[in-house]
Amino acid sequence: LDDAFVKDAFHCETVAELRAKIKEDLQSRREAESRNKVVDQLAEQLIEAHKFDAPQALIQMEHQRLTRQALDRLRQQGADPAHWPEDRQKDFMAQFLKPAERNVRMSMIIESIAEKEGIHCEKADYDRHIEKLSKALNQPTDVVKKYVEQRHQHVELEDQVAYEKTLEFLIASAKVEAA
């Protein structure tokens, strides 16, 4: 690798800059992985501590969403589940039932905690999230904001921000035990 190749192939000025970006990316991935493990453990504990039946209509909606996402990923990879045998299609869809119920229950628990703790999406939180999305999508902030508003997704985004804030609140106040 030399600076000329790196500049053409990776849009970095130098090999050192590319190495720094790779190192930063790896660190970000490790942090995200670690946080995801904490969130999974937290979700497991919350769901275990709060037993209730989630509304079937919400579970069905979440099941459809998860299934659609998985089907989209498969199609992007060139697979066509429509040509699968019927029993394989059913098995494929069935794998998303438990995660759908878990997601709905977790969302309801988080929403309840947010309400009790007075956690909600402030304008500054919303703006920070839009900026974060803008960077991730490599688009100007005003373009992302306009896109979200045109599709009337600002309420969903506010809910997502409140959910994340509540998770951060719970993580910060959680008792950490050594494994």
Side-chain angles (χ1 to χ4, degrees):
L1 288 176
D2 64 6
D3 290 347
F5 176 74
V6 167
K7 190 172 187 174
D8 288 340
F10 299 101
H11 307 291
C12 294
E13 294 298 316
T14 65
V15 172
E17 182 183 344
L18 176 62
R19 283 189 181 127
K21 282 186 176 184
I22 291 171
K23 187 177 181 179
E24 181 182 318
D25 183 54
L26 289 173
Q27 180 64 28
S28 293
R29 288 175 191 230
R30 278 192 293 272
E31 289 171 2
E33 204 172 286
S34 176
R35 184 182 184 281
N36 288 341
K37 285 180 183 176
V38 169
V39 169
D40 285 345
Q41 290 172 354
L42 178 65
E44 201 173 296
Q45 291 175 1
L46 287 170
I47 289 169
E48 185 63 32
H50 302 282
K51 302 279 187 188
F52 63 93
D53 291 328
Q56 285 301 307
L58 293 179
I59 293 171
Q60 287 173 349
M61 287 172 51
E62 179 65 1
H63 179 251
Q64 289 171 354
R65 186 187 73 78
L66 292 174
T67 303
R68 249 191 330 272
Q69 281 182 337
L71 288 170
D72 288 346
R73 282 192 302 273
L74 284 172
R75 287 185 190 111
Q76 288 172 351
Q77 296 170 0
D80 188 1
H83 291 91
W84 291 353
E86 189 175 329
D87 59 331
R88 185 172 178 201
Q89 289 180 21
K90 286 181 183 179
D91 290 345
F92 176 78
M93 292 178 66
Q95 72 180 318
F96 302 108
L97 282 172
K98 283 186 180 181
E101 181 178 1
R102 180 183 187 271
N103 291 354
V104 169
R105 289 185 62 212
M106 182 63 173
S107 290
M108 293 176 75
I109 292 167
I110 292 293
E111 189 177 305
S112 176
I113 292 169
E115 189 176 312
K116 287 179 181 153
E117 295 295 332
I119 300 171
H120 54 278
C121 179
E122 303 284 345
K123 182 179 179 344
D125 301 321
Y126 181 83
D127 291 342
R128 271 192 302 278
H129 193 76
I130 290 287
E131 286 177 33
K132 188 176 169 184
L133 281 175
S134 298
K135 287 180 185 173
L137 297 170
N138 199 23
Q139 294 290 322
T141 303
D142 57 332
V143 170
V144 173
K145 197 175 226 176
K146 185 176 179 181
Y147 179 87
V148 168
E149 290 170 2
Q150 283 177 338
R151 284 159 182 73
H152 307 287
Q153 294 177 331
H154 56 281
V155 174
E156 288 176 40
L157 198 60
E158 289 170 356
D159 290 345
Q160 183 181 355
V161 170
Y163 185 95
E164 289 296 322
K165 281 180 69 174
T166 306
L167 281 179
E168 291 305 320
F169 167 79
L170 291 169
I171 290 169
S173 51
K175 293 180 186 174
V176 179
E177 294 178 12

